[in-house]
Amino acid sequence: MARSTALTGAAGEHFVAFRLAQLGFPAALTRGGSPSVDVLVGDSDGNAAISIQVKTSSGARREFKRDPSKNRWEFDVGAKALRLRGSSIFYVFVDLRYDAAAMPDAFIVPSDNVASSQNPQDSRFMFWISEDQAPEYRERWDRITARLKPTHP
């Protein structure tokens, strides 16, 4: 049975909040309708916060049997990806995969990387992660948590 789009999105957002809480950081899901932020995460002292835009797919992986060098993950980001950028804004791309028993893949990408990869003339705004790029982004929660760790003298 196929998962609805709303359930897919909710599953991705809850997965991101789960992983951040597991790493020791308080994370809060925003109410529906927030155009740019799906999850807010902060440090335990309340001194720093990161905004996260979550994009989730049930099966983002594309494989090209004739040319495996083209294998990639594809995510719709929408036109707001052109303007959603900042040092405290990250995307987490979640691939729930087709196998419900498998652990999702999560790719943590700075918003500037997503915005700079978009072409304003495109009719559809997508972000692709190639097989070669995967290690740069997959499970790189440290990109977020490093910005939240308090610095003490």
Side-chain angles (χ1 to χ4, degrees):
M1 183 169 150
R3 212 181 285 116
S4 75
T5 303
L7 285 177
T8 297
E13 291 169 7
H14 282 86
F15 177 75
V16 169
F18 153 74
R19 286 293 285 130
L20 290 165
Q22 188 180 41
L23 293 167
F25 294 91
L29 299 174
T30 61
R31 293 279 190 183
S34 177
S36 304
V37 178
D38 295 316
V39 178
L40 288 170
V41 60
D43 66 1
S44 57
D45 296 330
N47 294 320
I50 299 287
S51 299
I52 299 174
Q53 177 65 221
V54 180
K55 295 298 180 183
T56 309
S57 174
S58 291
R61 179 128 170 103
R62 305 290 181 264
E63 293 191 5
F64 298 84
K65 293 186 186 335
R66 291 186 184 199
D67 187 357
S69 69
K70 293 182 180 179
N71 290 353
R72 63 182 181 241
W73 289 263
E74 297 178 354
F75 294 91
D76 277 298
V77 293
K80 70 181 163 196
L82 292 166
R83 60 175 167 41
L84 185 63
R85 58 186 336 159
S87 61
S88 294
I89 304 170
F90 287 82
Y91 280 82
V92 178
F93 296 101
V94 178
D95 183 5
L96 298 176
R97 303 163 76 176
Y98 291 111
D99 178 2
M103 190 69 155
D105 280 322
F107 301 91
I108 294 78
V109 182
S111 60
D112 287 337
N113 293 29
V114 177
S116 64
S117 73
Q118 303 305 307
N119 181 347
Q121 281 74 42
D122 286 347
S123 60
R124 186 173 181 193
F125 298 93
M126 304 284 294
F127 187 74
W128 295 284
I129 301 168
S130 70
E131 196 81 51
D132 292 342
Q133 292 172 309
E136 179 182 349
Y137 299 129
R138 184 185 278 129
E139 295 298 322
R140 291 295 310 275
W141 298 102
D142 61 297
R143 290 177 180 263
I144 294 171
T145 61
R147 298 180 58 84
L148 297 173
K149 292 198 179 189
T151 54
H152 297 291

